[in-house]
Coordinates of all heavy atoms in Angstrom, one line a residue:
M287 N -8.7 8.7 5.5 CA -8.0 8.9 4.2 C -8.7 8.0 3.1 O -8.7 8.4 2.0 CB -6.5 8.6 4.3 CG -5.8 9.6 5.1 SD -6.0 11.3 4.4 CE -5.3 11.1 2.7
I288 N -9.1 6.8 3.5 CA -9.6 5.9 2.5 C -11.0 6.1 2.1 O -11.6 5.5 1.2 CB -9.2 4.4 2.9 CG1 -8.9 3.6 1.7 CG2 -10.3 3.8 3.8 CD1 -7.8 4.0 0.8
E289 N -11.7 7.0 2.9 CA -13.2 7.1 2.7 C -13.5 7.5 1.2 O -14.4 6.9 0.6 CB -13.8 8.1 3.7 CG -15.2 8.4 3.5 CD -16.1 7.2 3.4 OE1 -15.7 6.1 4.0 OE2 -17.2 7.2 2.7
P290 N -12.9 8.5 0.6 CA -13.3 8.8 -0.8 C -13.1 7.6 -1.7 O -13.9 7.4 -2.7 CB -12.4 10.0 -1.2 CG -11.3 10.1 -0.2 CD -11.8 9.4 1.1
F291 N -12.1 6.8 -1.4 CA -11.9 5.6 -2.3 C -13.0 4.6 -2.1 O -13.5 4.0 -3.0 CB -10.5 5.0 -1.9 CG -10.0 4.0 -2.9 CD1 -9.2 4.4 -4.0 CD2 -10.2 2.7 -2.7 CE1 -8.8 3.5 -4.9 CE2 -9.8 1.7 -3.6 CZ -9.0 2.1 -4.7
Q292 N -13.4 4.4 -0.8 CA -14.5 3.5 -0.5 C -15.8 3.9 -1.2 O -16.5 3.1 -1.7 CB -14.7 3.4 1.0 CG -13.6 2.9 1.9 CD -14.1 2.6 3.3 OE1 -14.0 1.4 3.7 NE2 -14.6 3.5 4.0
A293 N -16.0 5.2 -1.0 CA -17.3 5.8 -1.6 C -17.3 5.6 -3.1 O -18.3 5.3 -3.7 CB -17.4 7.2 -1.2
N294 N -16.1 5.7 -3.7 CA -16.0 5.5 -5.2 C -16.2 4.1 -5.6 O -16.8 3.8 -6.6 CB -14.6 6.0 -5.6 CG -14.5 6.1 -7.1 OD1 -15.4 6.7 -7.8 ND2 -13.5 5.6 -7.7
L295 N -15.7 3.1 -4.7 CA -16.0 1.7 -5.0 C -17.5 1.5 -5.0 O -18.1 0.8 -5.9 CB -15.3 0.8 -4.0 CG -13.8 0.7 -4.0 CD1 -13.3 -0.1 -2.8 CD2 -13.3 0.0 -5.2
E296 N -18.1 2.0 -4.0 CA -19.6 1.8 -3.8 C -20.3 2.4 -5.0 O -21.3 1.9 -5.6 CB -20.1 2.4 -2.5 CG -19.9 1.4 -1.4 CD -20.5 1.9 -0.1 OE1 -20.7 3.1 0.1 OE2 -20.8 1.1 0.8
A297 N -19.9 3.7 -5.4 CA -20.6 4.4 -6.4 C -20.5 3.6 -7.8 O -21.3 3.7 -8.6 CB -20.0 5.8 -6.6
N298 N -19.5 2.8 -7.8 CA -19.3 2.0 -9.1 C -19.8 0.6 -8.9 O -19.5 -0.3 -9.8 CB -17.8 2.0 -9.5 CG -17.4 3.3 -10.1 OD1 -17.7 3.5 -11.3 ND2 -16.8 4.2 -9.3
G299 N -20.6 0.3 -7.9 CA -21.3 -1.0 -7.8 C -20.7 -2.1 -7.0 O -21.2 -3.2 -6.9
I300 N -19.6 -1.7 -6.3 CA -19.0 -2.7 -5.3 C -19.7 -2.6 -4.0 O -19.9 -1.5 -3.5 CB -17.5 -2.5 -5.1 CG1 -16.7 -2.5 -6.4 CG2 -16.9 -3.5 -4.1 CD1 -16.6 -3.8 -7.1
D301 N -20.2 -3.8 -3.5 CA -20.8 -3.7 -2.1 C -19.6 -3.9 -1.1 O -18.7 -4.7 -1.3 CB -21.8 -4.9 -1.9 CG -23.1 -4.6 -2.7 OD1 -23.3 -3.4 -3.0 OD2 -23.8 -5.6 -3.0
I302 N -19.8 -3.2 0.0 CA -18.7 -3.2 1.0 C -19.3 -3.6 2.3 O -20.3 -3.0 2.8 CB -18.0 -1.8 1.1 CG1 -17.3 -1.4 -0.2 CG2 -17.1 -1.8 2.3 CD1 -16.7 0.0 -0.1
A303 N -18.7 -4.7 2.9 CA -19.1 -5.1 4.2 C -17.9 -5.0 5.1 O -17.0 -5.9 5.0 CB -19.7 -6.5 4.2
V304 N -17.8 -4.0 5.9 CA -16.6 -3.8 6.8 C -17.0 -4.2 8.2 O -18.2 -4.4 8.5 CB -16.0 -2.4 6.7 CG1 -15.3 -2.2 5.4 CG2 -17.1 -1.3 6.9
S305 N -16.0 -4.3 9.1 CA -16.2 -4.8 10.4 C -17.0 -6.1 10.3 O -17.9 -6.4 11.1 CB -17.1 -3.8 11.3 OG -16.5 -2.5 11.2
A306 N -16.6 -6.9 9.4 CA -17.3 -8.1 9.0 C -16.5 -9.4 9.2 O -15.4 -9.5 8.6 CB -17.8 -8.0 7.6
E307 N -17.0 -10.3 10.1 CA -16.3 -11.5 10.3 C -17.1 -12.6 9.7 O -18.3 -12.8 10.0 CB -16.1 -11.8 11.8 CG -14.8 -12.4 12.2 CD -14.6 -12.5 13.7 OE1 -15.1 -11.6 14.4 OE2 -14.1 -13.6 14.1

Side-chain angles (χ1 to χ4, degrees):
M287 287 305 295
I288 212 60
E289 177 51 28
F291 194 87
Q292 295 192 123
N294 191 49
L295 289 175
E296 276 186 335
N298 283 282
I300 303 290
D301 286 341
I302 294 176
V304 288
S305 310
E307 215 175 325

